[in-house]
Amino acid sequence: AIVGGVGAGEGRVPSGERVPVTLAGTVTEFRALLDRIGGDREFAGTSREFAGIVADIADRLGIRDADSVSGEPNDDAPNYPWIDGTAVMGVLNVTPDSFHDGGRHASREDAVAGVKRMVAAGVDIVDIGGESTRPGAEPVPVDEEIDRVVPTVEAIQSVPAVADGDVLVSIDTRKPAVAAAALEAGADLINDVTGLADPEMREVVADAGCPVVVMHSLDAPVDPTNDPEYDDVVDDVIAALRERLALAETAGIDRDKVIVDPGLGFDTSSAEAFELIDRVGEFAALDCPVLIGHSHKSMFGAVGRAPDDREHATVAATALAADRGADIIRVHDVAENRAAVDVAAAVGGSPRGSSDEVADDSAPDE
């Protein structure tokens, strides 16, 4: 809420006295208000006092740089990769026990090499994980997780695309201390599988002002014995995420920095996971980018794919999720899924590459 004295316009209060006014709302609601006022130059310019009120509201909310105040685009606003199309987040687990790539990037040299491969394949975000959340995984002590994650974040700064900010670095963690240490080391965003359940994590993210992935889950690591019942899995997950978003806003996290993740495989059956992909467009009701994390998950067992035979099924689901409006897809195999995203974009009329960046396709296929 904002409380303050404001000047009344001439003719409204004959005495011209200043009266206290209380405005209450979420940061998102105030942004919408300021966007509407700032975009109407004639309305906003009728009173110098009124323009001062608008600026005061923006100052008190810490959104003085918003284009809502001036009505002009903010050229300094971050150009996140999920704004203009489906972004590809590549998984880089620095763990010995992750279900698909455990141990593959344990050393710094292997991690750097892995990031270089991802960059060459067209990755937009690298998601570093220091603790497995697979079913039955053992929790990792905070200090050990920091020792895995922070040196990796520092080491991959040697990759030019990371150092230049062209590829963002995400940290997959549920621990506030790990998140804080990783951000200090150069990470750009936090991916929290608990959906910011820990108040301290909300404080870390709010203080950093960084983007954050808020995932729906009931247990992390996954509890294989948990079998929740949903009236409607999409509606119920949206409702649960809405509650998490309210907690985030109360903690001072900018709604524009929040990404939501339905949490496929976390307390959802295979059928429910497929339904979440099919109806991903409904998550637009939350007014946040949507991340889909489905790579090599057990959901593909429902279509006859064994754990070591899920790459093609993952790519197929990526194309479907991108076509249905997913803003980010989180995958282990970047090159294959980058192709799926690009094809989905081309079918939708927004190809990623320009005509001079691709081979001549004028010749007929044989």
Side-chain angles (χ1 to χ4, degrees), residues 41 51 248 255 350 366:
R41 293 177 180 275
R255 180 69 164 265
S350 302
E366 296 181 357

Side-chain angles (χ1 to χ4, degrees), residues 321-333:
D323 179 67
R324 283 158 169 74
D327 298 282
I328 305 171
I329 53 102
R330 181 180 181 273
V331 294
H332 296 85
D333 312 299

